[in-house]
Amino acid sequence: QVQFVESGGGLVQPGGSLRLSCAVSGSIEWVFGMGWYRQVPGKQRLLVASVTYRDETYYVDSVKGRFTVSRDNAKNMVYLQMDNLIPADTGVYYCNRFIGGPVPNWGQGTQVTVSS
């Protein structure tokens, strides 16, 4: 089964930056489209960024101009560069399939906390 391992999160002050990484294994479906989802306690997961096999990207309005999603097929990796972070960016970030919807087996995610 496809497996996702997220890393790179942490505690950062507003205005800071983080780079999240997602290692994908067990499937090649990720190359068609992968997304980064954010979950806050009490809320459903929200797709914040995605990248297709054509390297087309999508960003939720709240992160446009600040986040950059990319992928590396050779390394089976997906990345999310987050700049100019604000407290509203706080949450647990997960990677999962975008095209075709997410698969049920979510990874553990990586915590991003933006606070002074």
Side-chain angles (χ1 to χ4, degrees):
Q1 185 62 255
V2 61
Q3 182 177 346
F4 310 103
V5 180
E6 301 92 347
S7 62
L11 175 63
V12 64
Q13 296 185 66
S17 298
L18 287 171
R19 184 173 177 82
L20 308 185
S21 298
C22 170
V24 186
S25 63
S27 174
I28 63 170
E29 295 181 357
W30 72 276
V31 306
F32 295 101
M34 286 291 295
W36 284 96
Y37 300 78
R38 181 176 67 215
Q39 182 170 269
V40 178
K43 297 183 179 180
Q44 295 183 337
R45 288 186 178 92
L46 171 69
L47 179 70
V48 299
S50 63
V51 57
T52 73
Y53 65 97
R54 292 182 174 180
D55 289 323
E56 298 171 318
T57 57
Y58 158 83
Y59 303 95
V60 69
D61 286 345
S62 60
V63 309
K64 286 182 178 179
R66 300 188 297 112
F67 288 12
T68 303
V69 63
S70 61
R71 63 187 177 93
D72 187 333
N73 289 358
K75 298 183 181 298
N76 290 352
M77 297 288 292
V78 186
Y79 305 98
L80 184 66
Q81 177 67 42
M82 305 184 295
D83 298 318
N84 298 319
L85 285 160
I86 60 175
D89 297 324
T90 295
V92 180
Y93 285 73
Y94 302 84
C95 58
N96 208 320
R97 190 175 65 184
F98 160 57
I99 295 179
V103 298
N105 52 315
W106 296 85
Q108 293 297 308
T110 185
Q111 176 71 46
V112 172
T113 302
V114 185
S115 176
S116 299

Short mmCIF file of all heavy atoms in Angstrom, two decimals, residues 12-59:
data_model
loop_
_atom_site.label_atom_id
_atom_site.label_comp_id
_atom_site.label_asym_id
_atom_site.label_seq_id
_atom_site.Cartn_x
_atom_site.Cartn_y
_atom_site.Cartn_z
N VAL A 12 7.95 28.02 14.54
CA VAL A 12 8.59 29.14 13.87
C VAL A 12 7.84 30.42 14.21
O VAL A 12 6.62 30.40 14.43
CB VAL A 12 8.64 28.92 12.35
CG1 VAL A 12 7.23 28.85 11.77
CG2 VAL A 12 9.47 29.99 11.66
N GLN A 13 8.55 31.52 14.27
CA GLN A 13 7.93 32.81 14.52
C GLN A 13 7.26 33.35 13.26
O GLN A 13 7.64 32.98 12.15
CB GLN A 13 8.98 33.82 15.00
CG GLN A 13 9.61 33.48 16.33
CD GLN A 13 10.54 34.57 16.80
OE1 GLN A 13 10.09 35.68 17.11
NE2 GLN A 13 11.82 34.27 16.87
N PRO A 14 6.25 34.19 13.43
CA PRO A 14 5.64 34.81 12.26
C PRO A 14 6.69 35.47 11.37
O PRO A 14 7.61 36.13 11.86
CB PRO A 14 4.69 35.84 12.85
CG PRO A 14 4.33 35.27 14.18
CD PRO A 14 5.59 34.61 14.68
N GLY A 15 6.54 35.28 10.07
CA GLY A 15 7.51 35.79 9.13
C GLY A 15 8.61 34.81 8.78
O GLY A 15 9.37 35.05 7.83
N GLY A 16 8.69 33.73 9.52
CA GLY A 16 9.71 32.73 9.28
C GLY A 16 9.35 31.79 8.15
O GLY A 16 8.31 31.94 7.50
N SER A 17 10.20 30.80 7.95
CA SER A 17 10.03 29.85 6.85
C SER A 17 10.24 28.43 7.32
O SER A 17 10.98 28.16 8.27
CB SER A 17 11.00 30.15 5.71
OG SER A 17 10.78 31.43 5.15
N LEU A 18 9.58 27.51 6.64
CA LEU A 18 9.78 26.08 6.83
C LEU A 18 9.69 25.40 5.48
O LEU A 18 9.03 25.90 4.57
CB LEU A 18 8.72 25.48 7.76
CG LEU A 18 8.79 25.80 9.25
CD1 LEU A 18 7.53 25.29 9.95
CD2 LEU A 18 10.03 25.17 9.87
N ARG A 19 10.35 24.26 5.37
CA ARG A 19 10.26 23.45 4.17
C ARG A 19 9.84 22.05 4.57
O ARG A 19 10.59 21.34 5.24
CB ARG A 19 11.60 23.41 3.42
CG ARG A 19 11.54 22.64 2.09
CD ARG A 19 12.84 22.78 1.32
NE ARG A 19 12.86 22.02 0.08
CZ ARG A 19 12.32 22.44 -1.07
NH1 ARG A 19 11.72 23.62 -1.13
NH2 ARG A 19 12.41 21.68 -2.16
N LEU A 20 8.65 21.65 4.15
CA LEU A 20 8.13 20.34 4.46
C LEU A 20 8.50 19.36 3.36
O LEU A 20 8.55 19.72 2.18
CB LEU A 20 6.61 20.38 4.61
CG LEU A 20 6.03 21.41 5.58
CD1 LEU A 20 4.52 21.21 5.70
CD2 LEU A 20 6.70 21.32 6.94
N SER A 21 8.75 18.13 3.76
CA SER A 21 9.07 17.07 2.81
C SER A 21 8.11 15.91 3.00
O SER A 21 7.66 15.63 4.10
CB SER A 21 10.50 16.57 3.01
OG SER A 21 11.45 17.61 2.79
N CYS A 22 7.81 15.23 1.92
CA CYS A 22 6.95 14.07 1.93
C CYS A 22 7.61 12.97 1.11
O CYS A 22 7.81 13.14 -0.10
CB CYS A 22 5.57 14.40 1.37
SG CYS A 22 4.50 12.97 1.09
N ALA A 23 7.93 11.88 1.77
CA ALA A 23 8.47 10.71 1.08
C ALA A 23 7.34 9.76 0.77
O ALA A 23 6.56 9.39 1.65
CB ALA A 23 9.52 10.03 1.95
N VAL A 24 7.24 9.37 -0.48
CA VAL A 24 6.18 8.49 -0.94
C VAL A 24 6.78 7.15 -1.34
O VAL A 24 7.79 7.10 -2.04
CB VAL A 24 5.42 9.09 -2.14
CG1 VAL A 24 4.22 8.21 -2.50
CG2 VAL A 24 4.97 10.50 -1.84
N SER A 25 6.16 6.07 -0.92
CA SER A 25 6.62 4.74 -1.27
C SER A 25 5.44 3.81 -1.48
O SER A 25 4.33 4.07 -1.02
CB SER A 25 7.55 4.17 -0.19
OG SER A 25 6.87 4.01 1.04
N GLY A 26 5.69 2.72 -2.18
CA GLY A 26 4.68 1.69 -2.36
C GLY A 26 3.74 1.88 -3.54
O GLY A 26 2.94 1.01 -3.81
N SER A 27 3.85 3.01 -4.22
CA SER A 27 2.97 3.29 -5.35
C SER A 27 3.57 4.38 -6.20
O SER A 27 4.31 5.23 -5.71
CB SER A 27 1.58 3.70 -4.87
OG SER A 27 0.76 4.09 -5.95
N ILE A 28 3.22 4.36 -7.48
CA ILE A 28 3.65 5.43 -8.38
C ILE A 28 2.52 6.40 -8.68
O ILE A 28 2.69 7.30 -9.49
CB ILE A 28 4.21 4.87 -9.70
CG1 ILE A 28 3.12 4.10 -10.46
CG2 ILE A 28 5.41 3.97 -9.43
CD1 ILE A 28 3.53 3.71 -11.87
N GLU A 29 1.38 6.21 -8.03
CA GLU A 29 0.24 7.07 -8.29
C GLU A 29 0.52 8.52 -7.95
O GLU A 29 -0.08 9.42 -8.53
CB GLU A 29 -0.98 6.58 -7.50
CG GLU A 29 -1.48 5.22 -7.93
CD GLU A 29 -2.70 4.79 -7.15
OE1 GLU A 29 -3.12 5.54 -6.24
OE2 GLU A 29 -3.24 3.71 -7.44
N TRP A 30 1.43 8.75 -7.04
CA TRP A 30 1.71 10.11 -6.59
C TRP A 30 2.22 11.00 -7.71
O TRP A 30 2.06 12.22 -7.64
CB TRP A 30 2.72 10.09 -5.45
CG TRP A 30 4.11 9.74 -5.87
CD1 TRP A 30 4.64 8.50 -6.03
CD2 TRP A 30 5.16 10.66 -6.18
NE1 TRP A 30 5.96 8.58 -6.43
CE2 TRP A 30 6.30 9.90 -6.53
CE3 TRP A 30 5.25 12.06 -6.20
CZ2 TRP A 30 7.51 10.49 -6.89
CZ3 TRP A 30 6.46 12.64 -6.55
CH2 TRP A 30 7.56 11.87 -6.89
N VAL A 31 2.82 10.41 -8.73
CA VAL A 31 3.39 11.24 -9.79
C VAL A 31 2.31 11.94 -10.60
O VAL A 31 2.60 12.93 -11.28
CB VAL A 31 4.30 10.42 -10.72
CG1 VAL A 31 5.37 9.68 -9.93
CG2 VAL A 31 3.49 9.43 -11.57
N PHE A 32 1.08 11.46 -10.54
CA PHE A 32 0.01 12.07 -11.30
C PHE A 32 -0.53 13.33 -10.64
O PHE A 32 -1.07 14.21 -11.32
CB PHE A 32 -1.12 11.08 -11.55
CG PHE A 32 -0.72 9.92 -12.41
CD1 PHE A 32 -0.41 8.69 -11.86
CD2 PHE A 32 -0.64 10.08 -13.79
CE1 PHE A 32 -0.03 7.63 -12.66
CE2 PHE A 32 -0.26 9.02 -14.60
CZ PHE A 32 0.04 7.79 -14.02
N GLY A 33 -0.41 13.42 -9.36
CA GLY A 33 -0.88 14.59 -8.64
C GLY A 33 -0.82 14.37 -7.13
O GLY A 33 -1.40 13.41 -6.63
N MET A 34 -0.13 15.26 -6.47
CA MET A 34 -0.01 15.17 -5.02
C MET A 34 -0.38 16.49 -4.39
O MET A 34 -0.19 17.55 -4.99
CB MET A 34 1.41 14.79 -4.62
CG MET A 34 1.75 13.33 -4.87
SD MET A 34 0.83 12.22 -3.75
CE MET A 34 1.53 12.70 -2.17
N GLY A 35 -0.90 16.41 -3.18
CA GLY A 35 -1.31 17.60 -2.48
C GLY A 35 -0.85 17.63 -1.05
O GLY A 35 -0.52 16.59 -0.46
N TRP A 36 -0.81 18.82 -0.50
CA TRP A 36 -0.57 19.03 0.91
C TRP A 36 -1.87 19.46 1.56
O TRP A 36 -2.53 20.39 1.10
CB TRP A 36 0.50 20.10 1.13
CG TRP A 36 1.90 19.61 0.88
CD1 TRP A 36 2.62 19.73 -0.25
CD2 TRP A 36 2.73 18.92 1.82
NE1 TRP A 36 3.86 19.17 -0.11
CE2 TRP A 36 3.95 18.66 1.16
CE3 TRP A 36 2.57 18.49 3.14
CZ2 TRP A 36 5.01 17.99 1.79
CZ3 TRP A 36 3.61 17.83 3.76
CH2 TRP A 36 4.81 17.59 3.07
N TYR A 37 -2.23 18.76 2.62
CA TYR A 37 -3.46 19.02 3.35
C TYR A 37 -3.12 19.49 4.75
O TYR A 37 -2.18 19.01 5.37
CB TYR A 37 -4.31 17.76 3.44
CG TYR A 37 -4.73 17.18 2.11
CD1 TYR A 37 -3.84 16.42 1.35
CD2 TYR A 37 -6.03 17.36 1.62
CE1 TYR A 37 -4.22 15.87 0.14
CE2 TYR A 37 -6.42 16.80 0.41
CZ TYR A 37 -5.51 16.06 -0.32
OH TYR A 37 -5.90 15.51 -1.52
N ARG A 38 -3.90 20.41 5.26
CA ARG A 38 -3.70 20.93 6.61
C ARG A 38 -4.91 20.60 7.46
O ARG A 38 -6.05 20.76 7.04
CB ARG A 38 -3.48 22.44 6.59
CG ARG A 38 -3.24 23.05 7.97
CD ARG A 38 -2.92 24.54 7.85
NE ARG A 38 -4.05 25.30 7.37
CZ ARG A 38 -3.96 26.36 6.57
NH1 ARG A 38 -2.76 26.77 6.14
NH2 ARG A 38 -5.05 27.01 6.21
N GLN A 39 -4.65 20.15 8.67
CA GLN A 39 -5.71 19.84 9.60
C GLN A 39 -5.50 20.60 10.91
O GLN A 39 -4.40 20.59 11.47
CB GLN A 39 -5.81 18.35 9.88
CG GLN A 39 -6.95 17.97 10.81
CD GLN A 39 -7.16 16.48 10.88
OE1 GLN A 39 -7.95 15.92 10.11
NE2 GLN A 39 -6.46 15.83 11.79
N VAL A 40 -6.55 21.23 11.37
CA VAL A 40 -6.58 21.92 12.66
C VAL A 40 -7.61 21.19 13.52
O VAL A 40 -8.66 20.79 13.01
CB VAL A 40 -6.95 23.40 12.49
CG1 VAL A 40 -7.03 24.10 13.83
CG2 VAL A 40 -5.94 24.10 11.59
N PRO A 41 -7.34 21.02 14.82
CA PRO A 41 -8.31 20.34 15.68
C PRO A 41 -9.71 20.90 15.53
O PRO A 41 -9.91 22.12 15.58
CB PRO A 41 -7.75 20.57 17.08
CG PRO A 41 -6.28 20.66 16.88
CD PRO A 41 -6.12 21.38 15.56
N GLY A 42 -10.67 20.01 15.33
CA GLY A 42 -12.05 20.42 15.17
C GLY A 42 -12.45 20.78 13.76
O GLY A 42 -13.62 21.11 13.53
N LYS A 43 -11.50 20.73 12.83
CA LYS A 43 -11.80 21.07 11.46
C LYS A 43 -11.39 19.93 10.53
O LYS A 43 -10.52 19.13 10.86
CB LYS A 43 -11.08 22.35 11.04
CG LYS A 43 -11.50 23.60 11.80
CD LYS A 43 -10.78 24.82 11.27
CE LYS A 43 -11.21 26.08 12.00
NZ LYS A 43 -10.50 27.27 11.48
N GLN A 44 -12.02 19.88 9.38
CA GLN A 44 -11.66 18.90 8.37
C GLN A 44 -10.36 19.29 7.69
O GLN A 44 -9.97 20.45 7.69
CB GLN A 44 -12.77 18.77 7.33
CG GLN A 44 -14.08 18.22 7.87
CD GLN A 44 -15.12 18.05 6.79
OE1 GLN A 44 -15.06 18.68 5.74
NE2 GLN A 44 -16.09 17.18 7.03
N ARG A 45 -9.70 18.29 7.15
CA ARG A 45 -8.49 18.57 6.40
C ARG A 45 -8.79 19.46 5.20
O ARG A 45 -9.79 19.28 4.51
CB ARG A 45 -7.85 17.27 5.93
CG ARG A 45 -7.21 16.44 7.01
CD ARG A 45 -6.48 15.25 6.41
NE ARG A 45 -5.81 14.44 7.43
CZ ARG A 45 -6.35 13.39 8.02
NH1 ARG A 45 -7.58 13.01 7.71
NH2 ARG A 45 -5.66 12.72 8.93
N LEU A 46 -7.90 20.41 4.97
CA LEU A 46 -8.04 21.37 3.89
C LEU A 46 -6.88 21.23 2.93
O LEU A 46 -5.72 21.23 3.35
CB LEU A 46 -8.09 22.79 4.44
CG LEU A 46 -8.03 23.93 3.43
CD1 LEU A 46 -9.32 23.98 2.62
CD2 LEU A 46 -7.78 25.25 4.14
N LEU A 47 -7.18 21.10 1.66
CA LEU A 47 -6.13 21.08 0.65
C LEU A 47 -5.58 22.50 0.51
O LEU A 47 -6.31 23.41 0.15
CB LEU A 47 -6.68 20.59 -0.69
CG LEU A 47 -5.68 20.56 -1.84
CD1 LEU A 47 -4.64 19.46 -1.62
CD2 LEU A 47 -6.39 20.35 -3.17
N VAL A 48 -4.30 22.66 0.80
CA VAL A 48 -3.70 23.98 0.74
C VAL A 48 -2.82 24.16 -0.49
O VAL A 48 -2.60 25.30 -0.92
CB VAL A 48 -2.90 24.32 2.02
CG1 VAL A 48 -3.82 24.29 3.23
CG2 VAL A 48 -1.74 23.34 2.21
N ALA A 49 -2.31 23.08 -1.04
CA ALA A 49 -1.45 23.17 -2.21
C ALA A 49 -1.40 21.83 -2.91
O ALA A 49 -1.49 20.78 -2.27
CB ALA A 49 -0.03 23.62 -1.83
N SER A 50 -1.24 21.85 -4.22
CA SER A 50 -1.13 20.61 -4.97
C SER A 50 -0.29 20.84 -6.22
O SER A 50 -0.13 21.97 -6.69
CB SER A 50 -2.51 20.06 -5.36
OG SER A 50 -3.20 20.95 -6.22
N VAL A 51 0.24 19.75 -6.74
CA VAL A 51 1.03 19.79 -7.96
C VAL A 51 0.67 18.59 -8.81
O VAL A 51 0.57 17.46 -8.31
CB VAL A 51 2.55 19.85 -7.66
CG1 VAL A 51 2.99 18.66 -6.82
CG2 VAL A 51 3.35 19.92 -8.95
N THR A 52 0.44 18.81 -10.09
CA THR A 52 0.06 17.73 -11.00
C THR A 52 1.28 17.18 -11.72
O THR A 52 2.38 17.71 -11.59
CB THR A 52 -0.95 18.22 -12.04
OG1 THR A 52 -0.29 19.05 -13.00
CG2 THR A 52 -2.09 19.00 -11.39
N TYR A 53 1.05 16.13 -12.50
CA TYR A 53 2.14 15.54 -13.27
C TYR A 53 2.66 16.49 -14.33
O TYR A 53 3.76 16.29 -14.84
CB TYR A 53 1.68 14.23 -13.90
CG TYR A 53 0.59 14.39 -14.94
CD1 TYR A 53 0.89 14.45 -16.30
CD2 TYR A 53 -0.75 14.45 -14.57
CE1 TYR A 53 -0.10 14.59 -17.25
CE2 TYR A 53 -1.75 14.59 -15.51
CZ TYR A 53 -1.43 14.66 -16.85
OH TYR A 53 -2.42 14.80 -17.80
N ARG A 54 1.87 17.49 -14.66
CA ARG A 54 2.29 18.52 -15.60
C ARG A 54 2.94 19.70 -14.88
O ARG A 54 3.19 20.73 -15.49
CB ARG A 54 1.11 19.02 -16.42
CG ARG A 54 0.56 17.99 -17.40
CD ARG A 54 -0.58 18.59 -18.20
NE ARG A 54 -1.05 17.70 -19.25
CZ ARG A 54 -2.02 17.99 -20.09
NH1 ARG A 54 -2.63 19.17 -20.01
NH2 ARG A 54 -2.38 17.12 -21.01
N ASP A 55 3.17 19.54 -13.58
CA ASP A 55 3.75 20.59 -12.75
C ASP A 55 2.84 21.81 -12.66
O ASP A 55 3.31 22.93 -12.40
CB ASP A 55 5.13 21.00 -13.25
CG ASP A 55 6.18 19.94 -13.01
OD1 ASP A 55 6.12 19.28 -11.95
OD2 ASP A 55 7.06 19.77 -13.87
N GLU A 56 1.55 21.59 -12.84
CA GLU A 56 0.58 22.64 -12.58
C GLU A 56 0.34 22.69 -11.08
O GLU A 56 0.22 21.65 -10.44
CB GLU A 56 -0.73 22.36 -13.32
CG GLU A 56 -0.58 22.32 -14.82
CD GLU A 56 -1.84 21.83 -15.52
OE1 GLU A 56 -2.45 20.86 -15.02
OE2 GLU A 56 -2.22 22.42 -16.54
N THR A 57 0.27 23.87 -10.54
CA THR A 57 0.12 24.01 -9.10
C THR A 57 -1.17 24.71 -8.73
O THR A 57 -1.72 25.49 -9.51
CB THR A 57 1.30 24.78 -8.49
OG1 THR A 57 1.42 26.05 -9.12
CG2 THR A 57 2.60 24.00 -8.68
N TYR A 58 -1.64 24.40 -7.54
CA TYR A 58 -2.81 25.03 -6.97
C TYR A 58 -2.49 25.44 -5.54
O TYR A 58 -1.79 24.72 -4.83
CB TYR A 58 -4.01 24.08 -6.97
CG TYR A 58 -5.06 24.46 -5.95
CD1 TYR A 58 -6.02 25.42 -6.24
CD2 TYR A 58 -5.08 23.87 -4.69
CE1 TYR A 58 -6.97 25.79 -5.30
CE2 TYR A 58 -6.03 24.23 -3.75
CZ TYR A 58 -6.97 25.19 -4.06
OH TYR A 58 -7.90 25.55 -3.12
N TYR A 59 -3.01 26.59 -5.14
CA TYR A 59 -2.85 27.05 -3.78
C TYR A 59 -4.15 27.65 -3.30
O TYR A 59 -4.82 28.39 -4.04
CB TYR A 59 -1.75 28.12 -3.67
CG TYR A 59 -0.40 27.66 -4.16
CD1 TYR A 59 0.00 27.92 -5.46
CD2 TYR A 59 0.45 26.96 -3.32
CE1 TYR A 59 1.24 27.49 -5.92
CE2 TYR A 59 1.69 26.53 -3.77
CZ TYR A 59 2.08 26.80 -5.07
OH TYR A 59 3.30 26.38 -5.51
#
